[in-house]
């Protein structure tokens, strides 16, 4: 299967901000290239997170397939981020194959590899008339913010979470972009404090009556130095997601 890489917005970014250091620190990138079809755990440093090994997350033709319930997995970032005042971008290419009206989350990050309780930047999906809606919640005890624009099932969508650090506790914000367009915004609603570190990316299979079936690819997490990150916001994805077209 031929794959053509496209770097979204790099040329635009370098032209628009030629006097600012925009060298992003990429601390996680995963496109599942070179993986064998079959269980994801054991390939590319992916490890089971938690005790359930039921219904293992699979790799199929270069993408990971998240099921409706079962095993959860995680993989360490290249270095642990100390998050005091740090804003970053977290994105992936997703293709939702089925979803429920209840909805559940399938992608998040955690402070350290193997952490089984502190899950941040939870990306949700639920079914809706005309397709699906994506949602976001900061962490436990928060309120899920869903977008209002239905998205198509069985279609690739480039999703970017722009995590914006705000001084003070319980103040951080997020903006979620889909296909280079602002989809929803989120203010911190959780009573749980922001994490102080970021050390792993997690794929999660939801509840048996709430989870979705999602193909996921091109997972990226990067820190963009200020003030470049503010400028990046106006340029959409600005080179974060490297999406692969297949022919």
């Amino acid at each position: 299967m031929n794959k053509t890489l496209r770097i979204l917005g790099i040329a635009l970014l370098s032209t628009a901000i030629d006097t600012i250091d925009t060298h992003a620190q990429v601390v996680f990138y995963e496109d599942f290239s070179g993986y064998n079809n079959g269980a994801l755990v054991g390939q590319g440093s992916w490890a089971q997170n938690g005790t359930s090994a039921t219904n293992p997350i699979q790799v199929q033709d270069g993408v990971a397939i998240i099921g409706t319930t079962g095993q959860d997995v995680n993989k360490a970032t290249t270095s642990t981020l100390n998050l005091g005042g740090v804003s970053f971008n977290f994105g992936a290419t997703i293709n939702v194959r089925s979803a429920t009206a209840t909805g559940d989350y399938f992608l998040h990050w955690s402070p350290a590899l193997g952490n089984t309780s502190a899950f941040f930047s939870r990306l949700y999906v639920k079914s809706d008339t005309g397709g699906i809606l994506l949602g976001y919640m900061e962490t436990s005890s928060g309120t899920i913010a869903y977008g209002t624009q239905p998205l198509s099932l069985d279609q690739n969508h480039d999703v970017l979470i722009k995590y914006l650090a705000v001084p003070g506790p319980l103040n951080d914000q997020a903006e979620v972009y889909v296909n280079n367009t602002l989809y929803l915004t989120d203010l911190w609603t959780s009573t749980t404090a922001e994490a102080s570190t970021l050390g792993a990316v997690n794929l999660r299979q939801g509840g048996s009556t709430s989870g979705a079936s999602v193909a996921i690819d091109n997972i990226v997490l990067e820190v963009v130095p200020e003030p470049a990150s503010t400028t990046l916001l106006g340029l959409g994805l600005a080179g974060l997601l490297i999406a692969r077209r297949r022919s």
Side-chain angles (χ1 to χ4, degrees):
M1 184 176 292
N2 295 325
K3 300 174 182 177
T4 303
L5 297 178
R6 72 181 190 273
I7 310 298
L8 301 177
I10 288 293
L12 175 62
L13 175 62
S14 60
T15 300
I17 323 175
D18 57 1
T19 60
I20 299 174
D21 179 10
T22 60
H23 296 291
Q25 178 191 1
V26 178
V27 297
F28 189 94
Y29 178 67
E30 178 63 88
D31 66 0
F32 306 100
S33 291
Y35 288 13
N36 296 320
N37 286 349
L40 173 59
V41 167
Q43 302 194 71
S45 299
W46 286 95
Q48 180 174 302
N49 193 37
T51 59
S52 176
T54 304
N55 190 28
I57 291 178
Q58 299 290 299
V59 176
Q60 180 180 320
D61 299 329
V63 300
I65 307 298
I66 299 170
T68 56
T69 187
Q71 179 193 61
D72 301 331
V73 302
N74 63 175
K75 180 178 178 177
T77 54
T78 57
S79 60
T80 298
L81 292 179
N82 292 315
L83 291 180
V86 173
S87 297
F88 57 90
N89 301 320
F90 181 35
T93 301
I94 67 169
N95 187 314
V96 180
R97 299 175 173 183
S98 67
T100 67
T102 303
D104 214 333
Y105 67 101
F106 59 91
L107 176 67
H108 61 92
W109 56 266
S110 56
L113 186 70
N115 189 305
T116 58
S117 59
F119 301 153
F120 291 85
S121 296
R122 302 179 183 191
L123 185 62
Y124 283 74
V125 63
K126 68 178 181 179
S127 62
D128 183 72
T129 303
I132 56 170
L133 295 177
L134 296 181
Y136 177 88
M137 187 168 72
E138 315 87 41
T139 188
S140 59
S141 77
T143 300
I144 308 168
Y146 275 102
T148 58
Q149 179 61 45
L151 303 171
S152 297
L153 280 167
D154 298 313
Q155 180 174 316
N156 284 353
H157 299 288
D158 291 332
V159 180
L160 169 69
I161 298 168
K162 179 170 283 295
Y163 187 99
L164 304 169
V166 178
L170 308 179
N171 278 336
D172 287 359
Q173 303 173 13
E175 296 171 333
V176 178
Y177 290 79
V178 178
N179 302 325
N180 210 19
T181 300
L182 181 62
Y183 186 76
L184 66 87
T185 59
D186 177 80
L187 301 179
W188 198 272
T189 59
S190 175
T191 56
T192 301
E194 295 92 338
S196 60
T197 61
L198 190 165
V201 168
N202 302 61
L203 303 180
R204 176 180 182 269
Q205 300 191 108
S208 59
T209 60
S210 59
S213 175
V214 183
I216 189 165
D217 198 3
N218 305 310
I219 306 171
V220 185
L221 198 153
E222 68 171 6
V223 178
V224 181
E226 297 291 351
S229 60
T230 302
T231 309
L232 279 171
L233 177 59
L235 297 175
L237 292 181
L240 172 63
L241 297 177
I242 303 174
R244 293 183 298 170
R245 287 180 178 168
R246 294 170 170 81
S247 59

